[in-house]
Amino acid sequence: MYNEKVNISSESVRNAAKEAIARRGVLISDIAEIVFEMQYPYSNGLTLAHCIQSVERVLNKREVQHAILVGVELDELAEKGMLSQPLQQLIESDESLFGIDETLAIGSVLTYGSIAMTTYGHLDKQKIGIIKKLDTRDGTGVHTFLDDLIASIAASASSRLAHRIRDVEETGESIAGRDKV
Amino acid sequence: MYNEKVNISSESVRNAAKEAIARRGVLISDIAEIVFEMQYPYSNGLTLAHCIQSVERVLNKREVQHAILVGVELDELAEKGMLSQPLQQLIESDESLFGIDETLAIGSVLTYGSIAMTTYGHLDKQKIGIIKKLDTRDGTGVHTFLDDLIASIAASASSRLAHRIRDVEETGESIAGRDKV
Amino acid sequence: MYNEKVNISSESVRNAAKEAIARRGVLISDIAEIVFEMQYPYSNGLTLAHCIQSVERVLNKREVQHAILVGVELDELAEKGMLSQPLQQLIESDESLFGIDETLAIGSVLTYGSIAMTTYGHLDKQKIGIIKKLDTRDGTGVHTFLDDLIASIAASASSRLAHRIRDVEETGESIAGRDKV
Amino acid sequence: MYNEKVNISSESVRNAAKEAIARRGVLISDIAEIVFEMQYPYSNGLTLAHCIQSVERVLNKREVQHAILVGVELDELAEKGMLSQPLQQLIESDESLFGIDETLAIGSVLTYGSIAMTTYGHLDKQKIGIIKKLDTRDGTGVHTFLDDLIASIAASASSRLAHRIRDVEETGESIAGRDKV
Ligand SMILES: [Ca+2]
Ligand SMILES: [Ca+2]
Ligand SMILES: [Ca+2]
Ligand SMILES: [Ca+2]
């Protein structure tokens, strides 16, 4: 009955991951703004549109989608009080020594390399933009996993941009005026 | 209402993690047998008791306990059909490109170093002992996370033993005849 | 004098990494054969050409190139006796508890996700194909880092293929008869 | 001639790692000060002595010692111009997309769990205390690996303290007035 090998379509997984983020109140442009703030000191001609495009590319990755699906599910189950104890309490109270939210985020950001990882750590502590908002919505929901996921997506999109911009610059060109990076 | 800072006692977390493994049909001696099989070619005088002790030390680590609580919870929720789609399907069918079970296991095994990590990868593919049994219990339950967790605990306990045995040997002694390593 | 910000061209780094592997006696087809052996049970129509192409794509990644450059450098410096003690001895003797070779390999394979990581651990212990040859060339050179790097490249290329093949299959097609995957 | 299985004494490795850090101009108290700054907001009664003790415990770990030996060796070889190109240039210029320094540091900090990892990322970007000094010693040496290693040791010692303090607090006591944590 279990373990039947059914292929779940990539499209349904991708849509569900994007829908999960939206349902939790995070816009792609919220994440792109963090990317822009991280990356514009190093990149002449960088626009918010470049950052949005990079976030969307990150969200197209299976590892990232799976991390989102699991993390948001756990946040939502905790909100409904549907987890068993003591896991319910650990997640609901965002226990300071509980690190599975970081583990999930790290697993996903590491697919963008070790520098993306370092950037994630920075964002997770600095809590800029939407990450700060999630952190201060105390009492109105559980975002134990969501804040780390958003930080990891922003760090991945930043790192992806840094690599792309280098590739463009090596050809002697600039990203200014380009639609896509 | 959420996010109150309550400390959950370490003891309740430890007990819940051990209870979760037992409830899923895995004995500490099952894991210790894998450790013994991995480690005895390199260790004169190694006994199953040493391996049991090492598994218990691994199970005392917070990171390991948290990974067990989350992984077993997801397996059990999937068995009850209580996850939302497509996550329910991904976990229930043990989808081959779903890697969050590996991510959780890796996060926990990496606290024992990079060699423990390599050993985990080996165990996860070789499926020896209880890991094989979990894998072939098709149709009777969901063990998508459990097999990786058990492989990571066994790999961690093996690596821990290898380090300890080296420390003992450097003093010019052997572990043979010792109760504890 | 140091720390001047000079951009090193991507092409020179890529060429140096490929040259380093060749200089150490490993052909791209050696690595592709491991990939083929890992992947053909799951992939109708898979050819060695597909595997060669996948290995080449992995070798185009900056993280992978950097790991190769550092690992091969350390192997070669150890062969020439040019490292300081005790590092010289640790690398020259392939000390069993020295895990920086695994760390480098893990950092690179993790950019292909957690399943690639598990595959790497398996390959590193099973030592199939060229990895076994490197391991048994005792006395004729130092390959402490090289064996792990090759296992990580093979695991990355395998994982990359698995993802690509799934994408093709979802369109209702097969990779049989295709030049590129 | 190579690959003889010689055991290198743990003591010689530990001493070499501590000596390497000292030779590069970093005191244990420099690292402890970063730990103190990170941890004192959360810990009543925390002293610099507690932080020094925690740093020393971290430096007793084989994984950490090995990472230090490799990282400092590469910094020093780069200073002497003894690496082959383009690796010499990548390390000498602290190339922004070169991430092997981060990879080494991550491998070592991950043995203290995922939260230690996040803290490392923060420290690496914030560059507080000695890390900042290393970063601004432009022109007088290569510290491409050292800054990441110091950030990882400080993050590990912070995380280790957080876990210990929790354990003490659970017994109803405080670390104030205690010599050891
Ligand atoms: Ca969190
Ligand atoms: Ca699994
Ligand atoms: Ca090796
Ligand atoms: Ca650095």
Side-chain angles (χ1 to χ4, degrees), chain C residues 75 94-95 98-102 120 124 127 135 143-149:
Chain C
D75 277 349
D94 203 359
E95 227 275 344
F98 181 77
I100 303 297
D101 42 348
E102 276 86 0
Y120 154 73
D124 204 54
K127 301 195 180 303
D135 198 54
H143 303 295
T144 296
F145 283 87
L146 188 61
D147 60 348
D148 291 281
L149 290 168

Side-chain angles (χ1 to χ4, degrees), chain D residues 75-135:
Chain D
D75 277 350
E76 294 185 335
L77 287 166
E79 276 182 6
K80 295 175 196 154
M82 286 171 67
L83 298 172
S84 60
Q85 292 296 5
L87 185 62
Q88 170 70 33
Q89 190 67 38
L90 286 166
I91 295 179
E92 188 185 311
S93 68
D94 203 359
E95 226 276 344
S96 66
L97 296 182
F98 181 77
I100 304 296
D101 42 348
E102 276 86 359
T103 299
L104 263 191
I106 288 170
S108 140
V109 78
L110 274 175
T111 63
Y112 287 89
S114 57
I115 298 171
M117 174 71 251
T118 306
T119 305
Y120 153 74
H122 174 66
L123 281 176
D124 205 53
K125 295 267 178 184
Q126 285 296 94
K127 301 197 181 300
I128 65 178
I130 182 72
I131 303 172
K132 186 173 195 68
K133 276 187 211 151
L134 291 173
D135 199 54

Side-chain angles (χ1 to χ4, degrees), chain B:
Chain B
M1 137 199 183
Y2 300 114
N3 304 68
E4 283 176 68
K5 296 296 169 200
V6 204
N7 278 355
I8 297 111
S9 86
S10 295
E11 205 192 335
S12 72
V13 172
R14 180 165 48 242
N15 290 341
K18 289 188 177 174
E19 207 275 312
I21 286 181
R23 189 172 69 237
R24 303 301 287 170
V26 178
L27 303 172
I28 289 189
S29 60
D30 290 331
I31 312 177
E33 276 167 22
I34 301 174
V35 176
F36 186 77
E37 191 166 329
M38 298 291 291
Q39 215 51 44
Y40 85 87
Y42 315 109
S43 319
N44 270 329
L46 186 74
T47 65
L48 191 62
H50 294 136
C51 299
I52 288 176
Q53 187 215 352
S54 195
V55 171
E56 284 182 334
R57 292 298 295 272
V58 170
L59 291 174
N60 275 338
K61 227 175 172 177
R62 272 196 194 90
E63 282 82 3
V64 176
Q65 293 159 7
H66 292 155
I68 291 169
L69 289 183
V70 170
V72 168
E73 186 90 7
L74 289 166
D75 277 350
E76 293 185 337
L77 287 166
E79 275 183 7
K80 294 176 197 153
M82 285 171 66
L83 299 171
S84 60
Q85 291 297 2
L87 185 62
Q88 170 70 33
Q89 190 68 39
L90 286 165
I91 295 179
E92 186 186 312
S93 69
D94 203 0
E95 226 276 344
S96 65
L97 297 181
F98 181 77
I100 304 296
D101 41 350
E102 277 86 0
T103 300
L104 262 191
I106 288 170
S108 140
V109 79
L110 274 174
T111 62
Y112 287 89
S114 57
I115 298 172
M117 174 71 251
T118 307
T119 305
Y120 154 74
H122 173 65
L123 280 176
D124 204 53
K125 293 269 178 184
Q126 285 295 95
K127 300 196 181 301
I128 65 178
I130 183 73
I131 302 172
K132 186 175 193 65
K133 274 187 213 151
L134 291 174
D135 198 54
T136 51
R137 283 185 195 165
D138 287 275
T140 69
V142 174
H143 303 296
T144 296
F145 282 87
L146 187 62
D147 60 348
D148 291 281
L149 290 168
I150 300 303
S152 96
I153 296 164
S156 297
S158 276
S159 173
R160 194 186 158 281
L161 266 179
H163 281 273
R164 295 281 163 155
I165 289 168
R166 167 70 60 82
D167 292 337
V168 170
E169 286 174 354
E170 283 200 14
T171 66
E173 298 184 36
S174 143
I175 58 162
R178 285 189 176 221
D179 278 358
K180 292 198 169 192
V181 181

Side-chain angles (χ1 to χ4, degrees), chain C residues 2-6 8 16 66-67 73 79 82-84 86 89 92-95 97 100 104 138-139 141, chain D residues 1-6 8 16 66-67 73 77 79 82-84 86 89 92-95 97 100 104 139 141:
Chain C
Y2 300 114
N3 304 68
E4 282 176 67
K5 295 297 169 202
V6 204
I8 297 111
H66 292 155
E73 186 90 8
E79 276 183 4
M82 286 171 66
L83 299 172
S84 61
Q89 190 69 39
E92 187 185 311
S93 69
D94 203 359
E95 227 275 344
L97 297 182
I100 303 297
L104 263 191
D138 287 278
Chain D
M1 138 198 183
Y2 299 115
N3 303 71
E4 283 177 67
K5 295 297 169 202
V6 205
I8 298 111
H66 292 155
E73 186 90 8
L77 287 166
E79 276 182 6
M82 286 171 67
L83 298 172
S84 60
Q89 190 67 38
E92 188 185 311
S93 68
D94 203 359
E95 226 276 344
L97 296 182
I100 304 296
L104 263 191

Side-chain angles (χ1 to χ4, degrees), chain A residues 8 23 39 51 68 79 84-85 140 158:
Chain A
I8 297 111
R23 189 171 68 238
Q39 215 51 44
C51 299
I68 292 169
E79 276 183 5
S84 61
Q85 291 296 3
T140 69
S158 277

